[in-house]
Amino acid sequence: MIPGNDGQKHALVIKVAAGEADRAAARSLLNKRYGWRGYGETHSIPTSATHSTFTAFIDGELVGTLTLGVDSPAGMEIDHTFRNELNTYRRVPGAQLCELTKFAFETSVQSKAILAAFFHFIFIYGECRYDCTDLFIEVNPRHRRFYEAMLGFDRVGGLKENADVGAPSQLMHLEVAQIRAQVDEYTRSASGVSERSLYPFFLSGEIESDVRLKMERGGLSAAQAHRAAVASQRQPNAIDAGVALGHA
């Protein structure tokens, strides 16, 4: 079980969308949350082989979705707004770009522990499947401080207009090596990471190793059925992170 912001413990299941029904459910949640923010209700979720869409379920109810994409000759979703900025990073020898896009999450039970487990699962998946060096996300400027404080993203350039949602947008960047360093630092010592960030709430080293092993055994095919049940264990900061993780 994992704590929500309502003070209750909840069952969290994270899956990789494996078919149109899964993607349709994620798309419905995305448009519900985007519509509530005034961003429109006709958005799609990337379905190319270079994108994997993740879904989070609390007590059996879909509450979150986020898509991870890896750069290819076809580009990435963020290219629609920030192609020139991304091209600067592409020119660095050995660079491999990834993106996080189409993020939506219900706020009713959202908590640091739940968000941390969600982001950590996606990071493990990305490390297993891709060899990315640089991670990017495009956010509304009012959310910049969240990504800076909680995950360590840095701003890239100034604001631009995102035509898809009709709102200003900020490109943000994080070296993948920094994510691993933060995770490893917290695994060694909980006092080594700011309590303002999400990293203290990431999955324990034991759970991460178990999830990574099951992912590698599963071949990391989004269409391949693969489930991993991770037993509840006591983590630092007295957080019970009993998380069921698996592919849809």
Side-chain angles (χ1 to χ4, degrees):
M1 305 299 285
I2 196 163
N5 64 9
D6 58 357
Q8 303 299 313
K9 299 287 184 66
H10 299 275
L12 172 64
V13 175
I14 302 170
K15 299 179 180 179
V16 183
E20 180 52 34
D22 295 330
R23 286 188 287 270
R27 186 168 57 247
S28 177
L29 174 64
L30 178 77
N31 283 312
K32 174 186 174 184
R33 298 303 302 167
Y34 274 33
W36 180 81
R37 294 180 183 132
Y39 296 159
E41 300 178 357
T42 58
H43 301 280
S44 61
I45 289 178
T47 59
S48 72
T50 57
H51 285 87
S52 299
T53 294
F54 300 83
T55 51
F57 294 79
I58 296 293
D59 301 330
E61 180 180 355
L62 177 62
V63 297
T65 183
L66 179 60
T67 295
L68 171 68
V70 62
D71 202 12
S72 72
M76 301 189 297
E77 289 288 301
I78 297 177
D79 275 299
H80 296 158
T81 309
F82 292 101
R83 181 180 298 275
N84 290 339
E85 290 81 356
L86 293 177
N87 283 342
T88 298
Y89 288 88
R90 288 184 173 112
R91 287 191 285 268
V92 176
Q96 177 63 67
L97 280 55
C98 282
E99 67 176 347
L100 294 175
T101 186
K102 307 302 183 183
F103 179 45
F105 217 102
E106 295 281 10
T107 58
S108 55
V109 294
Q110 178 181 311
S111 69
K112 281 187 177 181
I114 290 172
L115 287 177
F118 192 41
F119 278 109
H120 196 176
F121 179 83
I122 295 170
F123 169 64
I124 298 169
Y125 185 95
E127 266 199 331
C128 288
R129 185 167 193 174
Y130 307 122
D131 190 22
C132 289
T133 60
D134 299 86
L135 180 65
F136 294 87
I137 191 167
E138 182 181 357
V139 305
N140 187 288
R142 65 173 175 266
H143 300 310
R144 289 178 298 197
R145 285 299 301 150
F146 172 86
Y147 290 97
E148 289 171 337
M150 295 296 180
L151 291 166
F153 277 88
D154 293 318
R155 304 177 193 184
V156 178
L159 300 181
K160 289 190 173 182
E161 183 77 6
N162 183 303
D164 194 34
V165 299
S169 183
Q170 174 73 59
L171 180 65
M172 306 197 74
H173 167 252
L174 178 60
E175 291 184 7
V176 173
Q178 292 182 11
I179 304 175
R180 172 46 58 196
Q182 289 275 43
V183 172
D184 290 345
E185 176 65 23
Y186 177 64
T187 298
R188 289 192 298 270
S189 173
S191 62
V193 183
S194 168
E195 286 292 333
R196 295 185 60 195
S197 81
L198 287 181
Y199 290 108
F201 301 91
F202 270 36
L203 304 174
S204 70
E206 182 178 348
I207 290 180
E208 177 180 339
S209 296
D210 193 33
V211 171
R212 185 181 298 276
L213 178 62
K214 289 180 171 68
M215 284 185 178
E216 291 170 351
R217 288 176 177 171
L220 284 177
S221 171
Q224 179 178 359
H226 173 66
R227 293 184 178 276
V230 180
S232 176
Q233 74 173 63
R234 181 71 62 177
Q235 290 197 86
N237 298 323
I239 299 169
D240 286 322
V243 184
L245 304 173
H247 296 280

